[in-house]
Amino acid sequence: MSTIGVLALQGAVDEHIRMIEKSGANAIAVKRVSQLEEISGLIIPGGESTAVRRLIDKYHFFEPLQAFAKSEKPVFGTCAGLILMGRDHLRLMDMEVERNAFGRQRESFEVKLRVKGVAEEVEAVFIRAPLVRAVGASVDVLSTYNDETVAVQEGNFLACSFHPELTDDLSMHRLFVEMVENACTV
């Protein structure tokens, strides 16, 4: 059984761990760089992207996260994690992201989205959510909301603007567990 880590610098770490375990994989909170060697996939959770980036730098995660990604191990970013995976930060995915595109905290909302290859209705919670404004040719758009890109995949990298961990819908986490299991068999 695969072990998936959740970067535990800020955000809904426990919620992601719960969803991964319900999806059939082991999960751990990653608090030290050395723990990256123990896992087969990584989730970068939501939170405040500027704060998480500062913590990534402070605890010397930047280069190890890039090396982890280059080793073909899957990475899943949600909300702030999506921002950090883009061109302006970790550069894991060829995408340009706009922070807080849906407005402030009070404009948060929940909808059901069609996610290509996953489900016709995936529960999605948007909280100060970013948008993917542009993608490179190798990035597959999995979902849109009001004609705006909110979920993408590029090889072993998956990212969404919303918080799937704040619902009971396991669709996105099951997709990621499947990606990790497939990467382990290669």
Side-chain angles (χ1 to χ4, degrees):
M1 185 183 305
S2 302
T3 298
I4 295 173
V6 180
L7 188 62
L9 300 176
Q10 186 197 42
V13 175
D14 292 338
E15 291 84 349
H16 276 293
I17 287 173
R18 178 179 52 84
M19 297 296 272
I20 288 298
E21 289 174 345
K22 283 184 173 182
S23 297
N26 294 320
I28 64 168
V30 174
K31 298 178 181 181
R32 295 179 316 280
V33 169
S34 62
Q35 290 178 285
L36 293 173
E37 296 172 16
E38 303 170 22
I39 60 175
S40 302
L42 178 70
I43 294 176
I44 303 174
E48 207 294 307
S49 61
T50 304
V52 176
R53 176 55 197 264
R54 284 185 186 133
L55 293 168
I56 284 172
D57 293 341
K58 179 178 180 175
Y59 295 109
H60 310 288
F61 268 98
F62 190 88
E63 288 82 12
L65 287 173
Q66 288 185 316
F68 181 89
K70 286 179 184 168
S71 73
E72 303 292 322
K73 292 183 179 178
V75 179
F76 179 20
T78 63
C79 198
L82 173 140
I83 294 168
L84 293 167
M85 290 177 72
R87 294 175 186 157
D88 292 337
H89 294 282
L90 292 168
R91 298 181 292 280
L92 304 184
M93 296 182 74
D94 188 10
M95 64 181 172
E96 186 178 309
V97 179
E98 179 184 342
R99 295 176 62 219
N100 301 327
F102 287 107
R104 299 188 161 288
Q105 188 85 17
R106 68 179 176 270
E107 282 120 7
S108 299
F109 61 98
E110 187 171 339
V111 296
K112 293 191 185 292
L113 298 173
R114 180 185 174 282
V115 179
K116 183 170 87 174
V118 178
E120 286 299 313
E121 289 191 342
V122 172
E123 288 182 55
V125 175
F126 289 82
I127 303 170
R128 294 178 56 219
L131 282 177
V132 178
R133 286 291 180 204
V135 297
S138 62
V139 178
D140 189 17
V141 174
L142 299 182
S143 187
T144 60
Y145 175 73
N146 289 342
D147 297 320
E148 301 283 5
T149 301
V150 296
V152 291
Q153 183 174 355
E154 183 177 12
N156 280 338
F157 304 131
L158 177 67
C160 62
S161 299
F162 50 92
H163 291 271
E165 77 281 6
L166 299 180
T167 73
D168 291 326
D169 187 332
L170 296 172
S171 301
M172 296 301 290
H173 288 86
R174 283 186 177 144
L175 170 63
F176 187 63
V177 167
E178 183 179 311
M179 289 171 62
V180 171
E181 289 172 354
N182 289 340
C184 288
T185 60
V186 173

